[in-house]
Amino acid sequence: MGTEAFVAAVGASIGAERVFAGDGRYATDWTGRYSVPSCTVVRPLGTDEVAAVVRLAIEHTVALVPQGGNTGLVGGGVPHRDEVVVSLEAMRRIGSVDTAARQVTAEAGVTIERLHEVAGIAGLRYPVDFGARGSATVGGSIATNAGGVNVLRYGMTRHQLVGIEAVLGTGEVVSHLGGLVKDNTGYDLGALLCGSEGTLGIVTKARLRLVPTPSHRATFLIGATDLDAAIRCTTALTSALDCVDAAELMIQSGVDLVTRISGLTNPLPDHDAYLLVECSADTDPTEAVGRIVSGIEGIAVVAASSAQQRRDLWRLREEHTPSINSLGAPIKFDVTVPVRAVPDFVRALHSNPTVVGESRSLVVFGHAADGNLHVNVVGAHERDSEEIGDAVMTLVAGFGGSVSAEHGIGVAKKRWLSLSRSPTEIAAMKSVKRALDPFGIMNPNVLFD
Ligand code: FAD
Ligand code: 2HG
Ligand code: ZN
């Protein structure tokens, strides 16, 4: 690889100030599990500059790692050897909201939080939301097909993607941002790039769907005597109401960890399982939720009575990831099982000696209505990660689940891709990779071995 010559050529092409030596912010992933001592970073300002960088990378045989907010949790957004980081963070322009079409075009480096603000000013809402909203970007969320807390009502990022602009691994630009909702004109490149984790090209812009903001919102913490009651409650709510935005699952050990570390108070102590439920509608959904929940045994409910209490309830949920990280780099598995299997799967995890091990703690939480569980093993040695992963993923496969729900495969889960995808599917994916990234320069460490 010719990194030095590449750096000089990029400097001459788009400006020497746009290429620099990156510190830990660029070289270490959010969990701290994946890191290189230093890396070269290129920070382009527009699609043409990204295309110039990709063409020079091809010429100098340099591998690239696209990076947005570096909040990914599978080690996919940082270099693992001498790859060069292409940071999209300076591409933060956002167009005006088309309120009639309910769409907006945003550059890849726009944060999810900024997108929410801009949509909110127009009286609309970008329906993808998750705890890393302040740093995670449009480009990164498309590359990972991010899910988050509102998937049950609005779908994942792919469902919001109306059009895309990207630089392929060939250095060519594809741009399809017209915003037509009905557009059956062959392969959907946006849908293909969504979830491709930077392996096919670099997303530079996207046309995104926005949704109306209902006038009433109600947030509840529900304590359950056990996981079975929590899942019964989730299913009762989601099958009866179409206004449920979020149904998030927590377990007592995780909530206790969060309260200990953050100083937050749990208004419903001593329950085995918890749900954070949020509904929004044009009439107040509180009574409907109360009626459904009161028919379920083993349930206690607190409704947020102020904006501050709502924020505190959400913090009980969203502080899980930072609280876990404060104990050291966790080994994370983000999996899905059928919703009805959630209680048995969680019990099986806790009784599996390979997973639990000695002096480890297991923190499980997630998006109940999607059957999406975040399994965090804290205090394990890195050398045991494959064995632990084999045990977790064997259980996942046994329950008919997927080895990645919403974070992607990255580096962390390559080993288990074949549990969720057939050899034919993997071969087809590799053919697509060869077609769009014929020189193998796009994020070569992720997805496939
Ligand atoms: P990065 O971390 O920078 O990159 C992620 C991947 O996308 C990498 O493979 C990278 O190469 C690629 N990439 C980045 N930008 C581009 C681009 N422009 N073009 C092509 N490829 C690109 N995820 C969820 O799905 N749901 C959640 O609920 C959720 N909650 C989280 C909470 C916390 C506290 C944290 C730290 C993370 C959470 N995540 C969640 C994971 C993460 O935030 C998402 O995966 C997010 O979409 C990553 O965006 P990013 O801009 O930080 O991407
Ligand atoms: C969430 O739902 C994220 O909060 C992070 O997907 C999950 O930390 C995790 O394991
Ligand atoms: Zn999640």
Side-chain angles (χ1 to χ4, degrees):
M1 290 206 200
T3 309
E4 267 181 40
F6 169 75
V7 166
V10 169
S13 169
I14 66 169
E17 73 287 0
R18 311 230 65 80
V19 49
F20 54 92
D23 56 16
R25 186 155 79 90
Y26 301 93
T28 303
D29 85 313
W30 200 91
T31 64
R33 188 175 170 201
Y34 301 99
S35 189
V36 287
S38 66
C39 61
T40 301
V41 180
V42 182
R43 196 161 49 193
L45 285 180
T47 304
D48 291 351
E49 291 190 2
V50 175
V53 171
V54 173
R55 286 196 293 266
L56 288 170
I58 293 168
E59 195 182 311
H60 293 271
T61 328
V62 164
L64 303 175
V65 176
Q67 191 181 87
N70 196 9
T71 65
L73 298 174
V74 289
V78 290
H80 291 266
R81 286 184 280 272
D82 52 2
E83 302 83 27
V84 168
V85 169
V86 180
S87 168
L88 282 299
E89 67 188 340
M91 291 177 53
R92 289 181 172 235
R93 282 167 291 207
I94 182 159
S96 50
V97 172
D98 180 339
T99 46
R102 293 192 192 134
Q103 291 176 4
V104 68
T105 300
E107 281 191 331
V110 171
T111 63
I112 300 302
E113 189 167 73
R114 180 74 190 130
L115 197 52
H116 289 169
E117 282 164 10
V118 169
I121 291 166
L124 295 167
R125 186 172 168 215
Y126 181 58
V128 175
D129 194 17
F130 47 92
R133 62 182 76 77
S135 309
T137 61
V138 164
S141 62
I142 292 170
T144 55
N145 186 23
V149 296
N150 297 329
V151 169
L152 84 125
R153 184 158 183 183
Y154 298 107
M156 298 192 50
T157 298
R158 189 176 283 122
H159 294 91
Q160 325 311 329
L161 195 57
V162 189
I164 204 159
E165 181 172 283
V167 179
L168 303 177
T170 56
E172 294 161 307
V173 177
V174 287
S175 188
H176 200 78
L177 297 167
L180 296 177
V181 174
K182 300 193 91 171
D183 189 7
N184 276 348
T185 47
Y187 300 149
D188 184 343
L189 290 178
L192 178 63
L193 287 163
C194 190
S196 66
E197 303 188 43
T199 59
L200 304 178
I202 302 183
V203 176
T204 54
K205 271 186 204 159
R207 183 84 179 158
L208 298 163
R209 173 176 90 113
L210 305 174
V211 295
T213 313
S215 51
H216 291 76
R217 180 169 62 188
T219 310
F220 310 86
L221 182 69
I222 298 178
T225 46
D226 55 25
L227 276 165
D228 302 270
I231 294 302
R232 272 200 308 278
C233 185
T234 303
T235 312
L237 287 167
T238 55
S239 56
L241 301 175
D242 57 11
C243 65
V244 185
D245 289 335
E248 298 288 295
L249 181 69
M250 299 172 278
I251 292 174
Q252 182 162 28
S253 53
V255 174
D256 287 350
L257 172 71
V258 169
T259 53
R260 199 169 71 238
I261 287 178
S262 65
L264 286 161
T265 305
N266 173 4
L268 288 173
D270 300 327
H271 287 80
D272 274 9
Y274 293 90
L275 291 173
L276 178 60
V277 171
E278 188 157 275
C279 299
S280 60
D282 286 330
T283 53
D284 189 350
T286 305
E287 201 197 314
V289 171
R291 197 173 354 98
I292 291 163
V293 165
S294 64
I296 300 165
E297 254 180 55
I299 292 291
V301 191
V302 169
S305 57
S306 65
Q308 183 59 45
Q309 199 182 5
R310 173 184 178 263
R311 279 195 293 275
D312 286 346
L313 292 184
W314 269 107
R315 280 190 63 206
L316 273 183
R317 163 65 181 85
E318 292 191 341
E319 292 288 333
H320 271 67
T321 303
S323 301
I324 290 164
N325 244 50
S326 73
L327 304 177
I331 299 177
K332 283 183 180 288
F333 305 99
D334 146 56
V335 301
T336 331
V337 293
V339 176
R340 64 178 180 285
V342 164
D344 283 343
F345 174 70
V346 175
R347 284 189 282 264
L349 281 174
H350 280 91
S351 60
N352 187 306
T354 310
V355 177
V356 179
E358 267 177 42
S359 54
R360 291 181 200 151
S361 37
L362 187 59
V363 186
V364 183
F365 61 101
H367 313 284
D370 311 327
N372 177 185
L373 294 168
H374 298 306
V375 180
N376 282 265
V377 183
V378 185
H381 288 292
E382 184 60 36
R383 64 170 179 267
D384 296 329
S385 60
E386 287 192 349
E387 194 191 18
I388 296 169
D390 287 348
V392 172
M393 297 311 191
T394 304
L395 283 175
V396 168
F399 279 94
S402 167
V403 302
S404 175
E406 56 174 10
H407 295 166
I409 295 293
V411 172
K413 288 192 275 177
K414 285 195 285 192
R415 180 178 169 85
W416 301 288
L417 179 62
S418 61
L419 287 177
S420 289
R421 295 294 194 150
S422 69
T424 313
E425 283 176 298
I426 293 173
M429 288 195 236
K430 287 184 175 172
S431 304
V432 172
K433 164 94 174 152
R434 277 193 296 276
L436 300 190
D437 177 30
F439 307 100
I441 58 159
M442 293 307 313
N443 217 358
N445 301 308
V446 309
L447 203 48
F448 313 113
D449 275 323

